[in-house]
Amino acid sequence: MGGAVRVFIQDSTFRLPADPTAPIVMVGPGTGIAPMRALLQERYCQSVGAKVGSNTLYFGCKNSKQDFIYKDELVDYRDNKKILTKLHLAFSREDPKKKVYVQHLLADEENAKALIADLDKGGCIYVCGSTGMGKDVMEAVCVVLVRLKGLSADEAQAQLDTLVGSGRYVQELWG
């Protein structure tokens, strides 16, 4: 006992777009949901008396019955408060024959088209969770840009780099 613990505090880099009508796409599996809740809370406050853009959330966990944290709150934002436009759920261990992760849902044809439409409207993407998931989500977005925008892999990466540089693709990831 009596050992030292190193702690640091880092401000979040997540900021809603200056234009409240810009769509946002949030990817937050597991505990990565925490900043997405804050974005939804702020978006809900913005919506009182003003128009806000669409809000899409991709959430994932192993099992819906064991670790679907904040389920009631998310459903309330979708069904009652009408601020969560779309809630996409990936439960990676419910089907023993097929693991489904958030990046798989993001690359699904219908969801991919919605993502491109949101980006074309000036939308932002927020990703929070493990570094491995973050890498996989970034790859999925690149694949979507190639598939639906007809870009080469290099052009898709350049467009993604532009989104990152302009603060429209923001990640908070950990090992």
Side-chain angles (χ1 to χ4, degrees):
M1 293 224 181
V5 176
R6 293 176 50 126
V7 176
F8 68 94
I9 298 172
Q10 184 174 347
D11 287 339
S12 175
T13 57
F14 288 179
R15 302 284 181 274
L16 285 175
D19 176 2
T21 64
I24 64 171
V25 176
M26 302 163 283
V27 183
T31 57
I33 190 68
M36 306 316 170
R37 292 176 61 226
L39 291 174
L40 286 169
Q41 290 165 1
E42 189 172 346
R43 204 61 150 179
Y44 180 68
C45 289
Q46 286 181 335
S47 74
V48 177
K51 182 174 171 31
V52 297
S54 64
N55 304 288
T56 301
L57 174 63
Y58 290 85
F59 173 77
C61 60
K62 291 180 181 179
N63 186 293
S64 63
K65 291 174 182 59
Q66 293 176 335
D67 46 16
F68 185 177
I69 56 177
Y70 303 111
K71 175 183 179 180
D72 294 340
E73 181 179 347
L74 296 174
V75 169
D76 185 50
Y77 274 124
R78 184 191 63 198
D79 296 346
N80 300 321
K81 293 180 177 158
K82 306 293 185 192
I83 198 66
L84 183 54
T85 312
K86 294 179 187 155
L87 175 59
H88 300 286
L89 303 169
F91 301 115
S92 63
R93 301 299 189 275
E94 290 200 356
D95 182 350
K97 296 178 183 163
K98 183 179 180 186
K99 293 181 181 177
V100 178
Y101 296 107
V102 290
Q103 62 269 21
H104 299 142
L105 298 180
L106 194 62
D108 173 76
E109 190 69 19
E110 184 178 329
N111 297 339
K113 287 178 183 176
L115 174 64
I116 294 299
D118 284 346
L119 290 174
D120 288 346
K121 293 176 191 167
C124 297
I125 302 172
Y126 303 92
V127 182
C128 186
S130 73
T131 53
M133 178 277 307
K135 179 180 173 281
D136 292 343
V137 167
M138 192 172 270
E139 287 176 7
V141 172
C142 278
V143 166
V144 166
L145 290 169
V146 167
R147 192 173 76 223
L148 296 181
K149 297 281 257 180
L151 303 177
S152 70
D154 288 341
E155 291 168 329
Q157 185 60 54
Q159 185 168 347
L160 193 53
D161 291 343
T162 299
L163 290 170
V164 169
S166 66
R168 291 183 50 210
Y169 190 107
V170 185
Q171 299 181 101
E172 290 187 1
L173 306 173
W174 58 85

